[in-house]
Amino acid sequence: MTDKFNIDYSPDILPVFPLEGVLLLPNGRLPLNIFEPRYINMINDTLASDSRMIVMTQPKKQLNIVYNIGCAGKIISFEETVDKRYLITLEGIIRCELKEELSEKNGYRRMKIDFTKFSEDLNKQSEDIERVKFVGVLKKFFKSKSISADWNIINSMNDIDLVTNLAMICPFSNEEKQALLEAQSFKTRANLMITMLEMGSFEENKFNEKRH
């Protein structure tokens, strides 16, 4: 885990990396393959900074517009490849509001950000979730989507890792991923995910029935 994050001493301007269909949540780890020149510049500048933090957010359908809630992640590992790409891992630290866009730096976007509303993200104590129900609907969802899973690993995860990792990797829509990011609390996120899994299973089964 990264060193303890302190909102009082946090940066108020960070690079912003809009990436469609990609979700980073607090406590989650996101591997990224960085190859565009502007984002190579972003990684170089971030590695040289004290915070080593980047905000991940999703673009909206409108050109160049992003959601105003993102998640700040810290680069916890990186590797430079022979063809000048970066393979990095971001650890999600805390969500933030994207308040104001600034001028680009070396081709990438920067914004003024505010962590104030999301201080609870730093509290690692999870609320109780309906674990049996969660795993049950997850199994149905994976079956409907023909997704294989190692259930021994899934069953061994604590609640935070279970919900966080599956929210990040499940094939939800951009809008669904954003709703999971913006969920008010961990328990709200888990319950919202149960609903999404149930709807996904139902829609997939209905589609398969029509095909036959």
Side-chain angles (χ1 to χ4, degrees):
M1 198 69 180
T2 55
D3 296 334
K4 187 172 178 61
F5 178 83
N6 190 325
I7 288 180
D8 293 334
Y9 300 99
S10 61
D12 58 1
I13 297 173
L14 284 175
V16 174
F17 190 3
L19 198 54
E20 187 175 5
V22 173
L23 175 63
L24 177 65
L25 291 172
N27 305 302
R29 293 193 173 185
L30 178 66
L32 291 169
N33 176 17
I34 309 296
F35 55 88
E36 285 189 54
R38 57 179 169 166
Y39 294 127
I40 295 290
N41 293 337
M42 180 183 72
I43 299 304
N44 285 330
D45 291 344
T46 301
L47 289 172
S49 71
D50 291 333
S51 71
R52 290 195 169 192
M53 294 178 76
I54 295 168
V55 175
M56 297 299 301
T57 188
Q58 291 198 117
K60 292 186 177 182
K61 291 180 180 178
Q62 300 96 323
L63 183 64
N64 217 36
I65 304 296
V66 297
Y67 286 97
N68 67 344
I69 303 295
C71 183
K74 182 174 183 177
I75 299 176
I76 58 170
S77 69
F78 68 94
E79 176 187 351
E80 191 172 6
T81 66
V82 293
D83 57 352
K84 304 302 182 183
R85 292 176 294 116
Y86 272 120
L87 304 177
I88 71 168
T89 299
L90 280 182
E91 181 176 81
I93 304 297
I94 181 173
R95 291 173 293 171
C96 58
E97 290 183 277
L98 280 58
K99 306 292 283 188
E100 180 185 348
E101 183 136 16
L102 304 176
S103 58
E104 289 185 354
K105 181 180 180 181
N106 294 328
Y108 62 85
R109 299 171 73 172
R110 301 179 305 147
M111 292 192 184
K112 286 187 177 181
I113 48 96
D114 187 353
F115 298 114
T116 309
K117 289 185 178 180
F118 302 105
S119 59
E120 279 301 308
D121 287 353
L122 303 175
N123 179 7
K124 301 302 187 293
Q125 298 295 320
S126 70
E127 306 167 69
D128 290 334
I129 67 170
E130 297 180 79
R131 178 133 186 159
V132 173
K133 182 176 183 180
F134 187 96
V135 173
V137 297
L138 182 67
K139 286 182 176 179
K140 290 180 181 178
F141 178 82
F142 279 3
K143 183 178 180 181
S144 71
K145 300 286 188 182
S146 300
I147 298 173
S148 59
D150 188 328
W151 291 103
N152 289 327
I153 292 178
I154 289 175
N155 291 329
S156 69
M157 289 181 177
N158 62 46
D159 289 351
I160 289 179
D161 289 343
L162 178 70
V163 173
T164 299
N165 283 287
L166 289 170
M168 288 173 59
I169 66 174
C170 278
F172 297 130
S173 69
N174 295 349
E175 292 77 13
E176 288 171 329
K177 286 179 182 287
Q178 190 65 26
L180 289 170
L181 174 68
E182 296 184 18
Q184 187 173 7
S185 67
F186 172 77
K187 189 170 184 177
T188 302
R189 181 175 295 127
N191 290 335
L192 179 59
M193 198 169 163
I194 286 174
T195 301
M196 290 177 179
L197 292 168
E198 289 176 331
M199 290 176 60
S201 299
F202 175 78
E203 290 170 358
E204 189 69 27
N205 290 332
K206 191 173 181 180
F207 174 75
N208 289 333
E209 286 175 5
K210 287 183 177 180
R211 291 176 61 190
H212 296 295

